[in-house]
Amino acid sequence: MEERLHLKGLNGIRTIAAVCVVLSHLRVLLPEFPVIQGNSFDMTNYAVTMFFTLSGFLITYLLFMEKKKKEISIKNFYIRRILRIWPLYFTYLALAFITIYIYEPGKLPGALPYYLFFAANVPSIFNTHLPHLAQYWSLGVEEQFYIFWPWLMKRSRNALKALIIFTVCFFLLVLFSHITNVEWNGISLLRVLEINRFECMSIGGIAALLCLQRHDLFIKTVTHPFTQVICWLSLLLMFVNKFHIPYFPDNGLVALVTCGLIVNLSFNKKTLISLENRF
């Protein structure tokens, strides 16, 4: 069985990200609602990146906690993921399918096979997603990430080096797509990469390994009060859509900020802000 692991503050980060997603979606559904009018609040994209980074951090952390005690069990990893995700995934999918069948039958079968086989990010790339299922794209990305990640962690002799190489290569590809704006049949490489944010998950994985290895320079740099202030100020800038550097991938920056928050909330006894409270 998977060891129960509670890292302080992570539920707080999840809460911030989840609330931002809900409010951003309400802005689209209820444009007349005065609290969320205009474009000053639209943090959905950043919030999803925070979730991806959290996922990469926790999955990597758990895998190497397991590896310290025994060999990583790929079978048990997939069983845990299936039990955690599939019941709710297919329950909601069935309800959405029934709703579409009753009210919008012309939309079926459409892209349904992609949803059945955890590739909901593909319809999102081509803007062919089914009604009520647009949000499934992020689940498709995560499930595809799980296909290769445990194997990479298990087979790599130097996992940290492998993660850094993977992240740098993916990041350079994103940077290239930003600069060149390469397209195939009207679909840009940038759109494909911005949906499949594997580099954000791998950045979380790198932070997890450095924490497990108690890397002195990393810990000192990330837990420094100045770094903490930068991370929290960056989060505030995300709230007002001012977190952007021209021609630089925003998602990579958000992933770095999220890692800074994770490390300080979970491992720094002198963190400036704590999210570990009842509320």
Side-chain angles (χ1 to χ4, degrees), residues 100-111:
I100 298 168
Y101 181 78
I102 295 172
Y103 295 103
E104 301 177 83
K107 299 286 186 179
L108 294 173

Side-chain angles (χ1 to χ4, degrees), residues 52 121 124-125 137 141 190-197:
F52 282 154
N121 48 328
S124 287
I125 292 171
W137 71 270
V141 173
L190 178 60
R191 177 168 177 77
V192 174
L193 296 175
E194 284 193 332
I195 285 181
N196 299 303
R197 301 173 202 175

Side-chain angles (χ1 to χ4, degrees), residues 26 30 36 45 66 102 114 158 247 251:
L26 283 174
L30 303 172
I36 49 177
N45 194 49
E66 181 181 353
I102 295 172
Y114 289 106
N158 187 331
Y247 298 105
N251 290 320

